[in-house]
């Protein structure tokens, strides 16, 4: 049986048994199926096969490719956007001012902290740093450094915004949630949101602030602490 050199050869077999079927494929769609009996009575065939790498070689190639990919510099500057999450919690104690978002909220307790204890600004800073893939606020502004003792948290957020712009990003939007049992933040929310927007250099329409109680559960619900969560979207300029 005469066959063109462009044909491709394939065989199906079962372990420890002779070949049961042979297939001759002619690109693009032609398929001829012959039994082993009919082929054995035909003249010898001259088949050309394309060498294929063994599974071991293929695995080695994949390993090399993965290793090369991990050696590529951080591609963060090419990303169209980045998302970051921040969380912070502070203990509430008498004798400290309660500062939230740079605003002094009248209350009998305040945040015990190395700086001014602004749980919202600390949380926002961590969210921005996280989106940029940078260390958290405690590593950049360690509480072991005396120069940050009692420092206004606006200093931290201005530095985070500076790092954001240097990396080539701007704020897309921000969503923050404050968790505390008391005081009620409804009378102060708009003032806090406006001040936070100014510190970020962002339009107030892209800065959202929510406040929740903890239903009198654990330290938050017992008014022994205050916490905040923040999610930010940074967009490539």
């Amino acid at each position: 049986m005469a066959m063109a050199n462009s044909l491709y050869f394939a065989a199906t077999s079962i372990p420890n048994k002779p070949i049961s079927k042979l297939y001759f494929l002619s690109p693009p769609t032609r398929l001829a199926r012959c039994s082993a009996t009919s082929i054995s009575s035909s003249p010898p065939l001259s088949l050309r096969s394309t060498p294929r790498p063994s599974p071991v070689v293929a695995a080695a190639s994949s390993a090399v490719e993965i290793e090369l990919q991990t050696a590529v510099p951080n591609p963060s500057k090419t990303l169209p956007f980045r998302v970051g999450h921040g969380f912070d919690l502070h203990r509430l104690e008498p004798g400290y001012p309660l500062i939230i978002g740079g605003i002094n909220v009248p209350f009998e307790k305040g945040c015990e902290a190395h700086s001014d204890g602004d749980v919202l600004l600390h949380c926002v800073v961590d969210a921005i740093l996280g989106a940029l893939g940078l260390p958290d606020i405690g590593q950049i502004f360690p509480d072991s450094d005396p120069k940050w003792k009692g420092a206004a948290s606006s200093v931290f957020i201005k530095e985070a915004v500076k790092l954001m712009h240097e990396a080539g990003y701007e704020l897309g939007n921000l969503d923050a949630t404050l968790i505390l049992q008391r005081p009620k933040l409804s009378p102060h929310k708009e003032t806090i949101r406006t001040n936070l927007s100014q510190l970020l250099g962002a339009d107030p329409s892209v800065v959202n602030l929510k406040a929740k109680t903890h239903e009198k559960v654990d330290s938050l619900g017992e008014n022994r602490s205050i916490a905040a969560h923040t999610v930010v979207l940074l967009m490539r300029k």
Side-chain angles (χ1 to χ4, degrees), residues 65-111:
E65 183 180 355
I66 292 171
E67 184 177 353
L68 291 176
Q69 286 177 352
T70 56
V72 174
N74 190 340
S76 62
K77 289 189 177 298
T78 63
L79 295 177
F81 62 86
R82 295 179 70 86
V83 176
H85 171 262
F87 170 77
D88 197 30
L89 180 146
H90 282 295
R91 185 166 57 247
L92 291 172
E93 295 287 351
Y96 292 90
L98 180 60
I99 301 174
I100 302 176
I103 302 301
N104 196 329
V105 177
F107 192 55
E108 63 204 38
K109 295 180 180 180
C111 293

Side-chain angles (χ1 to χ4, degrees), residues 67 130 141 178 235:
E67 184 177 353
F141 308 103
L178 286 161
M235 303 183 68

